[in-house]
Amino acid sequence: MANVVVVGAQWGDEGKGKIVDWLSSQAEVVVRFQGGHNAGHTLVIGDKVYKLSLLPSGVVRKDKLAVIGNGVVLDPHALVAEIARLAEQGVAITPENLRIADNATLILSIHQELDAQRENAASGAKIGTTKRGIGPAYEDKAGRRAIRVNDLADLSALPAKIERLLAHHNTLRRGAGLPEYSADAIYDELASVAPRILPFMDAVWRLLDEKRRAGARILFEGAQGALLDVDHGTYPYVTSSNTVAGQAATGSGMGPGAVGYVLGIAKAYTTRVGEGPFPTELADETGERIGQRGREFGTVTGRKRRCGWFDAVLVRQTVRTSGIDGIALTKLDVLDGFETIRICTGYRLDGEVIDHFPASEGAQARVEPIYEEFEGWSGSTAGARTWAELPAQAVKYVRHIEELIGAPIALLSTSPEREDTILVQNPFEA
């Protein structure tokens, strides 16, 4: 039985919440390994809808251990608020079902201010950040001046660490014409939230090793998508962490051997939130139709998503950079009723045909998609739970995607409902 890593194979918002929830019913442990509260999952369980931003999806199910790994940047106030929201829905979060890595980096108010100031002051194209302090927190982590979860356990040592932090931040603030930040304000912020966070603190790397040795099934839950990876994504229009599957090992404290089956999630079309290149974007009635039928609005920000045809070049590239073993294809039903569907199979760059997405920002902006036209279907795929319930042409579309991306379809999702899934291969039993 393999431990499973779930990653988005596009720019995020691929429907990971439903798939992770389906898999978490088979796992004992669910681990978040990167990102912060800038990415959201929507879970539909029965008649209840849960919207999660920071907590792993497993927390809404009984007898599951949810873990926030060291690769996550944690806003303690956002965590407390999310726990409170779930409590109102009848989900109790306790140290029995949630553990937080003692070496995870904290997001502070100073990070959020800096994030917003940079985005608002940016001239020309903006990155499209959620302004939640994610990037500045990762910068402090790399700069070796971050405040971490374990620092909350020794408040007497905090002043020196805050001083080191502010030596950097107040220099930036002076340069931006902002007032300097008070060390006392940061200390008070941390001291007030410490009692709410410390009960969940643990040496997560050791805990996960014990669970693995005991034979527990572990599910690694990625946030966002591989095309937002700080190394392999559409830089600089990316997030500030690694979102590819390899980060599951680094961001949880487990070795690469703990990563078994890699499941990529991809929509049957493509969406993107925020700025950055998008070769197959449809700024027309067709794009609007896809967006309306797919209810394409961000879980966290509510921002409208940009929509376009399926880009096989990008997903094929993600299959390779994340070592994806199988794909969960979602929202096939959104394409019901289209007479013609287009699939991007390559690009034309400066007159030359290429089969990959270039790393250069300038080249990414210049690529032109090469489309293959595919006959659509008039029947409905919504709610289908077997291949026999799908229109023949829809099955052909799915099989053609498999050929183009070089990976098999392991699951096919036909609605937000958990049961409306066609299972081809169970990742935990692969």
Side-chain angles (χ1 to χ4, degrees), residues 155-210:
L155 296 180
S156 65
L158 268 180
K161 295 175 180 179
I162 293 172
E163 182 179 349
R164 182 174 59 198
L165 179 74
L166 289 181
H168 172 77
H169 278 272
N170 279 338
T171 300
L172 292 178
R173 294 175 70 87
R174 286 193 297 270
L178 299 173
E180 293 192 11
Y181 218 88
S182 163
D184 290 340
I186 293 180
Y187 180 89
D188 292 343
E189 177 184 357
L190 293 169
S192 66
V193 80
R196 307 290 297 275
I197 302 299
L198 287 174
F200 300 101
M201 184 178 75
D202 205 341
V204 158
W205 63 269
R206 183 176 59 191
L207 172 67
L208 292 176
D209 182 64
E210 292 171 353

Side-chain angles (χ1 to χ4, degrees), residues 50-124:
Y50 302 96
K51 293 185 182 293
L52 305 178
S53 296
L54 187 56
L55 290 167
S57 299
V59 296
V60 302
R61 296 195 170 275
K62 292 183 179 180
D63 304 319
K64 308 295 180 183
L65 177 63
V67 173
I68 296 177
N70 56 275
V72 173
V73 284
L74 178 81
D75 182 327
H77 302 289
L79 177 64
V80 169
E82 193 168 322
I83 289 174
R85 286 195 301 272
L86 285 178
E88 293 175 355
Q89 293 185 273
V91 179
I93 308 299
T94 72
E96 296 300 314
N97 63 357
L98 174 66
R99 300 291 176 85
I100 301 172
D102 54 4
N103 54 343
T105 292
L106 295 175
I107 298 175
L108 308 176
S109 298
I110 196 170
H111 295 129
Q112 295 176 342
E113 285 189 23
L114 178 59
D115 204 358
Q117 187 273 331
R118 283 175 172 172
E119 187 72 2
N120 293 335
S123 58

Side-chain angles (χ1 to χ4, degrees), residues 270-349:
T270 311
T271 64
R272 178 166 198 171
V273 173
E275 308 298 324
F278 187 167
T280 65
E281 183 173 12
L282 296 168
D284 57 13
E285 292 182 2
T286 301
E288 191 69 23
R289 179 183 177 187
I290 291 174
Q292 289 179 355
R293 296 191 64 180
R295 297 182 180 88
E296 296 298 351
F297 296 91
T299 300
V300 172
T301 63
R303 290 185 294 180
K304 185 178 180 180
R305 297 173 186 145
R306 301 154 62 190
C307 299
W309 296 120
F310 186 83
D311 192 328
V313 181
L314 289 177
V315 177
R316 182 171 63 237
Q317 200 157 316
T318 297
V319 165
R320 295 174 181 176
T321 58
S322 268
I324 289 173
D325 297 296
I327 288 285
L329 193 68
T330 66
K331 293 198 169 185
L332 180 65
D333 55 302
V334 173
L335 298 181
D336 289 353
F338 280 88
E339 291 185 8
T340 302
I341 298 170
R342 305 180 88 186
I343 305 173
C344 176
T345 58
Y347 300 129
R348 187 170 286 103
L349 176 62

